[in-house]
Amino acid sequence: MNVEVGFEEMVPPGTSIHAKEVSRRGKSGKDLIVQYHIFVAGVAPDTLFNYIDWPVNAENPSVRLEGISVGKDGVLICAGRTAEECGDPKNPDDPIEFTSIPLKGEPSRLAFISSNVKIGIVIVPDPVEATDNGCALTAKRLTRPFDLAFISGTGYPPNADIHYKVSSEMVGVFIVKSNGSGAIRVSVIPFPGKKKEGIATVKIMESKCSPEISWEWGPM
């Protein structure tokens, strides 16, 4: 969970980063392929980034591409104009399509590193999420089998005890403290008992709202 939060919060003051979906094909949870353009702001125009990612099934992050430039409107490109820049000189300033082939609820954790700035983003192309009466609830896959989930949500009473129920082979009721903005974060193991696979459900149990999410877990 610390890795996940680290990527989400890797946005230095004065900078910003966002992803724009440019292509989606296939079906959720099966053969989905999604591509994004990524935009950054607040960095010097001559900045060159190395791109790293950290899949949920990897022990360490990996460098995927070096020499990324910042193009028009902040889109990340392979400029291809110098030896230090990625890309083909015959196709200069080519926007990069960052491609994800996600499992359900699987986050893509990306970071862009230069000599003087690190900026990160987490994208979930096929989310497990629900809303109810202004409250949002999301589960992100932290392991390949989804037997560990990062549960987060917004829209809850601030600085309050939020009750939630986790159901799988076993059922338990727990409390998580919301922060001053009404957000919650907690990791969940779906209490498998003797089973090696199943369906996990998390439901908020509050009078204001009660969103509920479910996901399949087990060997891949």
Side-chain angles (χ1 to χ4, degrees), residues 11-160:
V11 183
T15 68
S16 65
I17 183 170
H18 74 274
K20 179 182 179 181
E21 184 177 315
V22 294
S23 174
R24 178 177 292 255
R25 60 187 186 273
K27 294 183 179 180
S28 169
K30 295 182 179 180
D31 56 352
L32 186 63
I33 301 175
V34 188
Q35 292 186 315
Y36 297 88
H37 287 164
I38 293 180
F39 298 78
V40 299
V43 302
D46 60 349
T47 299
L48 287 180
F49 286 113
N50 292 339
Y51 155 48
I52 70 167
D53 74 352
W54 197 337
V56 296
N57 60 337
E59 292 186 4
N60 296 292
S62 299
V63 177
R64 298 300 185 187
L65 186 61
E66 299 181 351
I68 294 174
S69 303
V70 181
K72 183 179 179 181
D73 299 324
V75 66
L76 297 184
I77 63 173
C78 277
R81 297 178 180 277
T82 70
E84 292 77 22
E85 297 170 340
C86 64
D88 184 346
K90 297 179 181 178
N91 186 27
D93 302 333
D94 184 27
I96 301 168
E97 282 78 38
F98 294 89
T99 301
S100 176
I101 307 175
L103 299 171
K104 189 71 177 176
E106 182 179 14
S108 295
R109 304 182 294 211
L110 289 63
F112 301 92
I113 313 297
S114 75
S115 58
N116 57 7
V117 65
K118 298 180 181 179
I119 188 166
I121 188 172
V122 176
I123 306 169
V124 186
D126 195 6
V128 176
E129 60 186 4
T131 59
D132 180 60
N133 197 27
C135 300
L137 189 64
T138 301
K140 295 189 184 77
R141 182 185 297 259
L142 290 186
T143 58
R144 189 77 174 175
F146 218 162
D147 54 358
L148 176 62
F150 175 27
I151 307 299
S152 61
T154 57
Y156 300 93
N159 303 311

